[in-house]
Amino acid sequence: MLRRGLIAAAAATLLASAAQAQETVKVGLILPMTGPSASTGKQIDAAVKLYQAVNGTTVAGKKVEVILKDDTGVADITKRLAQELVVNDKVAFLAGFGLTPLALAVAPIATQARVPEIVMAAGTSTITEASPFIARTSFTLAQSSVPMADWSIKNGIKKVVTLVSDYGPGIDAEKSFAEKFKAEGGTIAESLRVPLRNPDFAPFLQKAADAKPDALFVFVPSGFGAQFVKQFVERGLDKSGIKLIATGDVTDDDQLNGMGDVMIGVINTHNYSAAHDSPANKAFVEAFKKANNGMRPNFMAVGGYDGMHLVYEALKKTGGATDGEKLMAAIKGMAWESPRGPISIDPDTRDIIQNIYVRKVDKQNGELYNVEFATIPNVKDPVKAAKKN
Ligand code: PHB
């Protein structure tokens, strides 16, 4: 009797562990797959698929299933999709978020449901403060704008006009650039803000030209750079003697090659270049291109790839447990080698710490790239750092 009981108990344990082994951890991936930021969706979706192709779909004995949803870049849709993913699909992670308003719309859901929200794309500083369940693998605009101001001053630029998209990340870029630039003795002649939707840059470019600055500092989000550059050239600003300087969102790897040789020599600052010289990046770029018809990965792809790394490593640390608090504890302080270089998640803010590179657009093997020539290591979000002091 005893023996039969033991066998039954052992069999029950085996069955339970088999069931556990087949258990699925779901990741709700919400991206703009259509609309004006579709390139962000396309890049991140491709990177997430590549991460799973390289690393497999099983982590800590669980199958990781990604459920992709298209929010078209509209915050109300992002919010509804996040609610459905939490309530109906019981996702363990919400991830993606191609624009700041989309990331912010989901913050109350992450808090209420205690589900980690992995921000792979959006860049407004305050996002990580909107919920204790948010962690970010993208960037903040202040991270790249402050080094751009610093480089400008050190290279003889004294008077600047800033031109940014008129919403969260643009305002962060404008303010953090201006603050650093003025603190080091520079002058801001004009601070121009262009509507995010259907931007017409022409009247703003006219104002910029009239102010006769040494340089025009620009931020537009990924996917909008080519449109800006087209109007910059059409208005003759490339021949005006006004230097174009920018965050790397403008000289986006997704569009840079199509912008033409007019971009050669443009100095910009950012966290990732497809030309970043490391074995990890070479392998990443090669595999990404191979899996996507030659498409070059941009900084959004890297944010997505690293976001999946965070999901996988957090699950490894919790032994497959999907409790939101445990996952967040696992995420805090995590550090690894990304295709962009060494990165980590600040345990205090859940925001990314990463190198920022100063780059110059140049031709390599007949293609335009952002070629890195200086590194500012381990940059924390300057906006949050300033608040702390
Ligand atoms: C944002 O909306 O936060 C955002 C989007 C694209 C960028 C940068 C920031 O390139």
Side-chain angles (χ1 to χ4, degrees):
M1 250 342 249
L2 182 65
R3 198 178 138 79
R4 211 190 288 166
L6 277 178
I7 291 168
T13 310
L14 265 180
L15 271 177
S17 61
Q20 212 166 23
Q22 285 158 12
E23 226 180 277
T24 300
V25 176
K26 292 179 184 168
V27 178
L29 181 63
I30 312 178
L31 293 170
M33 298 306 295
T34 53
S37 295
S39 64
T40 296
K42 174 190 66 178
Q43 286 272 353
I44 295 180
D45 175 39
V48 166
K49 289 196 166 84
L50 177 63
Y51 191 88
Q52 291 208 293
V54 171
N55 296 282
T57 51
T58 303
V59 181
K62 301 214 174 174
K63 191 167 170 53
V64 179
E65 182 193 342
V66 175
I67 305 174
L68 174 66
K69 300 280 181 187
D70 175 13
D71 65 9
T72 73
V74 176
D76 285 345
I77 302 178
T78 322
K79 191 168 180 179
R80 176 175 56 74
L81 292 171
Q83 258 153 356
E84 287 170 6
L85 286 162
V86 166
V87 174
N88 302 341
D89 299 292
K90 313 248 176 323
V91 295
F93 293 89
L94 290 161
F97 314 110
L99 293 161
T100 287
L102 317 180
L104 288 176
V106 172
I109 299 168
T111 304
Q112 207 185 10
R114 311 180 100 65
V115 170
E117 176 182 344
I118 312 298
V119 176
M120 295 168 158
T124 301
S125 180
T126 51
I127 287 173
T128 43
E129 289 160 16
S131 167
F133 286 87
I134 291 180
R136 168 153 50 199
T137 57
S138 46
F139 49 84
T140 76
L141 269 299
Q143 274 180 328
S144 47
S145 303
V146 172
M148 193 63 251
D150 196 43
W151 185 91
S152 302
I153 282 287
K154 287 182 175 141
N155 287 274
I157 293 170
K158 294 186 180 74
K159 183 171 150 189
V160 164
V161 169
T162 62
L163 185 156
V164 301
S165 294
D166 189 6
Y167 77 123
I171 291 161
D172 277 0
E174 175 196 289
K175 286 192 170 161
S176 54
F177 181 93
E179 199 176 306
K180 179 75 176 168
F181 193 64
K182 287 195 282 190
E184 300 205 357
T187 308
I188 301 292
E190 291 263 11
S191 304
L192 306 172
R193 296 179 181 178
V194 186
L196 174 64
R197 300 275 168 193
N198 306 313
D200 177 12
F201 296 104
F204 299 95
L205 287 168
Q206 192 55 52
K207 272 195 184 167
D210 291 347
K212 298 194 171 33
D214 300 323
L216 177 64
F217 169 72
V218 181
F219 161 78
V220 293
S222 188
F224 289 80
Q227 220 172 316
F228 166 77
V229 168
K230 186 166 171 280
Q231 293 197 358
F232 183 84
V233 174
E234 277 170 6
R235 309 297 301 182
L237 267 86
D238 58 319
K239 296 188 181 70
S240 67
I242 301 171
K243 217 174 154 60
L244 177 62
I245 54 176
T247 66
D249 308 80
V250 178
T251 58
D252 186 346
D253 270 305
D254 193 74
Q255 295 188 327
L256 181 60
N257 230 351
M259 291 178 189
D261 287 357
V262 63
M263 294 304 282
I264 291 176
V266 171
I267 305 288
N268 65 92
T269 43
H270 219 223
N271 61 78
Y272 177 71
S273 165
H276 178 66
D277 190 11
S278 75
N281 186 51
K282 287 213 164 78
F284 171 72
V285 172
E286 194 182 309
F288 190 94
K289 281 186 167 174
K290 202 169 161 194
N292 295 285
N293 269 324
M295 177 166 80
R296 188 196 290 186
N298 71 355
F299 59 98
M300 293 302 187
V302 172
Y305 200 76
D306 288 329
M308 275 311 274
H309 183 83
L310 206 55
V311 166
Y312 272 45
E313 292 304 309
L315 284 169
K316 280 184 199 166
K317 269 203 188 173
T318 65
T322 53
D323 174 83
E325 264 97 6
K326 281 189 191 153
L327 289 171
M328 289 310 296
I331 282 170
K332 289 176 190 173
M334 207 176 267
W336 69 101
E337 162 92 7
S338 156
R340 69 186 107 172
I343 63 173
S344 66
I345 303 297
D346 187 332
D348 297 329
T349 63
R350 294 159 276 101
D351 217 337
I352 186 164
I353 303 174
Q354 60 191 335
N355 293 350
I356 296 296
Y357 305 92
V358 190
R359 308 101 56 89
K360 187 179 196 165
V361 177
D362 209 352
K363 239 180 201 167
Q364 286 189 340
N365 305 321
E367 289 188 38
L368 293 175
Y369 281 98
N370 293 292
V371 180
E372 298 166 352
F373 64 88
T375 304
I376 300 105
N378 305 324
V379 179
K380 287 192 185 191
D381 175 33
V383 175
K384 279 191 267 305
K387 273 188 203 163
K388 254 175 108 177
N389 293 331

